[in-house]
Amino acid sequence: MKEWWVQVGLLSVPLLAIYLHIPPPKLSPALLSWRSSGGYFTYKDQNIFYRDSTGAVGSSDVVVLLHGFPTSSYDWCKIWEGLTQRFHRVIALDFVGFGFSDKPRPHRYSIFEQASIVEGLVRHLGLRHQRINLLSHDYGDTVAQELLHRDWQMWSKTLVALQLCSLTSFQGFSLKRTTLGSSRRLCSTSRHHPLRNNRFLFSILQYINQRKKHRDRWVGALMSTSVPLHLIYGPLDPVNPHPEFLQLYKKVLPMSTVSVLDDHISHYPQLEDPTGFLNAYLNFINSF
């Protein structure tokens, strides 16, 4: 009788082959609608998905939304309509490697590249000399910090559902206008099977090491910027535990204003409490 592990191995081979050829899940109607309402621009041969909605009449304000890991621009779906009632342009993109954007492999994914892609989108849309508001979350917070480090004078206000790189993590961080100019959904928007994505995800996750390596650069950008900052915070966030995180944030960035949402709000405040999040953001924006 063959050893049991040989039998298991022989059985596993065909099962694994079947598993690898299972197609990815179909997109939900909501995601199909999200994709159809957007478009693509090219950054260094990569197709980058973005949405650009024209909203409030009589306003010239623009807001650019930067999503987190491992999600996509769809993270902003619950506050999109509310933002279009305040801003003339509401813009969001899927970073390379996320959502509907290309997922090249092998590829050296980096925060620096993602920031350059945001700059590329701003140029593509003809907004290079317009003052812009930034709204970011999680991974997008570090991208926002790199943009601040580059000292773009286009940034006006920054509200970040922010994660503060190596300081620790923020969730809701925002900058006042400066001129620049999540995922449970990654698998549903990716064309590649999760098991095949192991090396791909490892490459994407290098941003964690980048946060540690470039801590002084990115935390320093927040500490030295003249752009107004705001944090929207959910006290139940396991990544940014309360009250330690809030105490540290206020100590490091005493010039930033803060909105604390209800006690049950966690790491995705724009999805968990879209009304509270939107009100907090607009109160910040309208205070200038």
Side-chain angles (χ1 to χ4, degrees):
M1 184 176 182
K2 296 181 179 179
E3 297 290 343
W4 67 269
W5 55 268
V6 174
Q7 297 182 49
V8 171
L10 292 173
L11 179 61
S12 299
V13 170
L15 290 177
L16 180 61
I18 294 172
Y19 181 71
L20 287 173
H21 286 83
I22 296 175
K26 292 183 179 180
L27 296 179
S28 68
L31 282 172
L32 287 171
S33 175
W34 187 265
R35 184 176 63 182
S36 66
S37 63
Y40 291 85
F41 82 103
T42 301
Y43 176 83
K44 294 186 176 180
D45 298 325
Q46 304 297 338
N47 293 315
I48 305 299
F49 175 83
Y50 71 95
R51 288 193 70 190
D52 178 11
S53 294
T54 301
V57 177
S59 172
S60 61
D61 288 352
V62 178
V63 61
V64 173
L65 315 178
L66 308 177
H67 70 81
F69 176 90
T71 49
S72 71
S73 58
Y74 191 68
D75 274 357
W76 306 108
C77 64
K78 290 188 177 182
I79 64 170
W80 193 269
E81 183 177 355
L83 290 173
T84 62
Q85 294 174 15
R86 169 59 178 80
F87 292 94
H88 175 60
R89 299 275 289 275
V90 181
I91 300 163
L93 76 160
D94 289 350
F95 293 125
V96 64
F98 296 80
F100 296 120
S101 291
D102 282 354
K103 302 168 183 64
R105 63 194 69 190
H107 188 75
R108 295 175 64 89
Y109 291 93
S110 74
I111 294 297
F112 302 101
E113 177 187 38
Q114 306 290 19
S116 295
I117 289 172
V118 176
E119 293 176 331
L121 176 59
V122 168
R123 288 191 296 269
H124 173 75
L125 296 177
L127 301 174
R128 180 63 178 83
H129 301 292
Q130 185 161 342
R131 295 175 68 78
I132 295 173
N133 299 283
L134 280 179
L135 174 57
S136 68
H137 176 252
D138 189 82
Y139 181 94
D141 299 336
T142 312
V143 177
Q145 289 168 259
E146 171 58 22
L147 291 168
L148 284 180
H149 178 81
R150 298 180 185 188
D151 196 27
W152 278 51
Q153 294 306 310
M154 65 176 62
W155 302 118
S156 168
K157 305 182 186 83
T158 295
L159 170 57
V160 187
L162 178 98
Q163 275 211 316
L164 186 58
C165 65
S166 304
L167 171 63
T168 183
S169 292
F170 305 151
Q171 342 158 302
F173 155 82
S174 178
L175 306 171
K176 187 182 185 314
R177 196 179 317 176
T178 100
T179 299
L180 171 104
S182 50
S183 167
R184 302 177 180 95
R185 300 178 187 85
L186 178 62
C187 290
S188 63
T189 58
S190 171
R191 299 177 183 177
H192 302 282
H193 196 281
L195 189 59
R196 298 172 187 159
N197 283 345
N198 286 345
R199 292 183 180 178
F200 166 67
L201 291 177
F202 177 79
S203 180
I204 288 281
L205 283 169
Q206 289 306 302
Y207 81 91
I208 296 174
N209 292 330
Q210 294 166 22
R211 280 179 168 180
K212 295 177 182 178
K213 181 178 180 180
H214 302 290
R215 180 189 187 280
D216 291 345
R217 176 188 181 97
W218 290 331
V219 175
L222 292 175
M223 297 175 68
S224 62
T225 185
S226 61
V227 173
L229 306 175
H230 188 74
L231 169 73
I232 299 179
Y233 180 63
L236 201 60
D237 182 8
V239 181
N240 308 300
H242 185 271
E244 293 82 5
F245 168 76
L246 203 54
Q247 293 169 351
L248 177 60
Y249 181 90
K250 291 179 177 179
K251 179 180 179 180
V252 175
L253 299 173
M255 70 292 195
S256 174
T257 52
V258 176
S259 296
V260 180
L261 301 179
D262 292 344
D263 290 345
H264 67 282
I265 303 303
S266 182
H267 187 65
Y268 281 83
Q270 74 274 35
L271 294 174
E272 299 170 51
D273 183 12
T275 299
F277 183 94
L278 185 63
N279 287 339
Y281 179 54
L282 295 182
N283 286 338
F284 166 68
I285 292 295
N286 295 330
S287 66
F288 296 91

